Amino acid sequence: MLQERLFDPQGRDLADCPVRHVLDHLAAKWTTLIVLELAAGPRRFSQVSKALPDISKRMLTQSLRDLERDGLIRRTVFPTKPPSVEYALTAMGQSLLPPLLGLIEWAQAHEVQIATARQAYTG
Amino acid sequence: MLQERLFDPQGRDLADCPVRHVLDHLAAKWTTLIVLELAAGPRRFSQVSKALPDISKRMLTQSLRDLERDGLIRRTVFPTKPPSVEYALTAMGQSLLPPLLGLIEWAQAHEVQIATARQAYTG
DNA sequence: CAGAATCCTTTCGGATACTG
DNA sequence: CAGTATCCGAAAGGATTCTG
C-alpha cells in the first residue's frame, strides 16, 4: 500500500488535507480536552495538570506545544520567581469551541444509545 | 501518575466520560473519514477502500467493525458469488453528520491561518 | 469480493530523574 | 513552577499471505 505520495480525488496531498489535520488533532487524545479546559479561561500549567489528572507532564507539555504551534493557544511566560506560565485560547482557538461543543453535545445525547449498541453487539 | 482509578470533578470515572468516549472514537483516525464517505450513500467494502486509498484493508476492516459495534453504521451481506457487503450509516450515524460537518467547515475555514501559524512557529 | 491471520516496525505515552 | 531528558513497555498500524 503506502505509495510514495498519496493524493485525494482533488489531487491534494492527503497528509496536507486540512480535514485530516484537524482530525489528527482530535486524534491526539489530549489536545481536545486541553482546549475544553482552557475554554473556561486562562490556566497555568499546574492548573491544567490538576484539571486533567490522568495526563502525564510529558504529554501535557507536548500537547500544549502542538496547540501553540497551530495557533490555537497562546503561551505567556511571567518572569517571576519561580516562573509561571499561562496558557490561553487565541481567537482561533475560541472559534473552534462552537463546532467542538456541538460534537460534545452529540456525544452526551447518544451516550446511552451507543452503550446499548455495544452491549447488543456480540462479535 | 496513573492512579488506580481516575475521577473527574463530577466524580465520574474518566474512562467512562462520554466526551472522552467519542473523542477516542474520532481518535481512531480513520473512522471519521469512513463516516464522511458513507455520508454520500451506502458503499461496498471495495468502494470505501478506493475512496480512502491510504488505509490498509486491515485497518479498514477494523474501523468498520468499530463503527458497526457502536451502531453508527449497518453492515449488510448479499449472498452473491462472490459475496458483496454493503455499509451504510444508521440513523444515529446520520445524526452525527451535522456536528461533524461543523468541524469540517471550521477546518477548511482556518486552513490557511493554521498553516501560517505553523510557519511562524520556530521552536 | 471481503475479509482473517500473522508478522513486524513505528509511534504513543507512562515512569522516573534532573534542571533553571 | 514548569518544564527537559531518557528509558521502555504497550498499542497502533502497514505488508503480506491465505480463505470461503
Side-chain angles (χ1 to χ4, degrees):
Chain A
M1 196 68 66
L2 194 64
Q3 296 93 329
E4 284 302 284
R5 262 181 118 50
L6 301 161
F7 295 89
D8 70 5
Q10 285 74 46
R12 185 212 300 269
D13 186 343
L14 285 180
D16 288 345
C17 175
V19 174
R20 299 200 178 201
H21 200 271
V22 171
L23 260 31
D24 282 348
H25 257 306
L26 299 181
K29 180 181 180 182
W30 298 119
T31 52
T32 305
L33 294 171
I34 293 173
V35 168
L36 289 175
E37 174 61 23
L38 293 184
R43 293 281 185 275
R44 299 261 303 272
F45 182 90
S46 53
Q47 288 179 306
V48 179
S49 188
K50 261 163 208 146
L52 276 20
D54 59 341
I55 174 172
S56 64
K57 280 198 304 182
R58 185 188 186 285
M59 281 297 104
L60 181 55
T61 300
Q62 184 177 302
S63 303
L64 287 169
R65 287 285 180 280
D66 288 345
L67 289 168
E68 187 193 2
R69 180 181 147 93
D70 281 7
L72 292 173
I73 66 176
R74 178 177 7 262
R75 179 175 181 269
T76 311
V77 182
F78 297 99
T80 55
K81 276 174 160 237
S84 63
V85 179
E86 185 184 87
Y87 293 93
L89 292 182
T90 61
M92 178 160 60
Q94 297 275 355
S95 74
L96 175 59
L97 290 178
L100 198 53
L101 292 176
L103 211 59
I104 303 302
E105 282 176 29
W106 183 92
Q108 293 171 334
H110 296 82
E111 183 183 358
V112 175
Q113 196 175 347
I114 290 179
T116 304
R118 289 204 155 201
Q119 209 102 53
Y121 188 90
T122 43
Chain B
M1 199 67 66
L2 193 64
Q3 296 96 327
E4 285 301 284
R5 260 182 120 49
L6 301 161
F7 296 90
D8 70 3
Q10 285 74 48
R12 185 211 299 268
D13 187 342
L14 285 181
D16 289 345
C17 173
V19 174
R20 297 199 181 200
H21 200 270
V22 171
L23 258 32
D24 282 349
H25 255 298
L26 301 179
K29 179 180 179 182
W30 297 118
T31 53
T32 305
L33 294 170
I34 294 175
V35 168
L36 289 174
E37 175 61 23
L38 294 184
R43 294 281 186 273
R44 301 259 304 270
F45 182 90
S46 53
Q47 288 180 304
V48 180
S49 189
K50 260 162 207 144
L52 276 18
D54 59 341
I55 175 174
S56 64
K57 280 200 303 184
R58 185 189 186 285
M59 279 298 103
L60 181 55
T61 299
Q62 184 177 302
S63 302
L64 286 168
R65 286 286 178 282
D66 288 346
L67 288 168
E68 187 194 3
R69 179 181 148 94
D70 281 6
L72 292 173
I73 68 175
R74 178 176 7 264
R75 179 175 181 269
T76 312
V77 182
F78 296 99
T80 56
K81 272 175 164 244
S84 63
V85 178
E86 185 183 86
Y87 293 94
L89 291 182
T90 60
M92 178 159 60
Q94 297 276 354
S95 75
L96 176 59
L97 290 178
L100 198 53
L101 291 176
L103 212 57
I104 303 302
E105 282 175 30
W106 183 91
Q108 292 171 335
H110 296 81
E111 180 184 359
V112 175
Q113 197 175 347
I114 290 179
T116 304
R118 288 207 155 199
Q119 211 100 53
Y121 188 91
T122 45

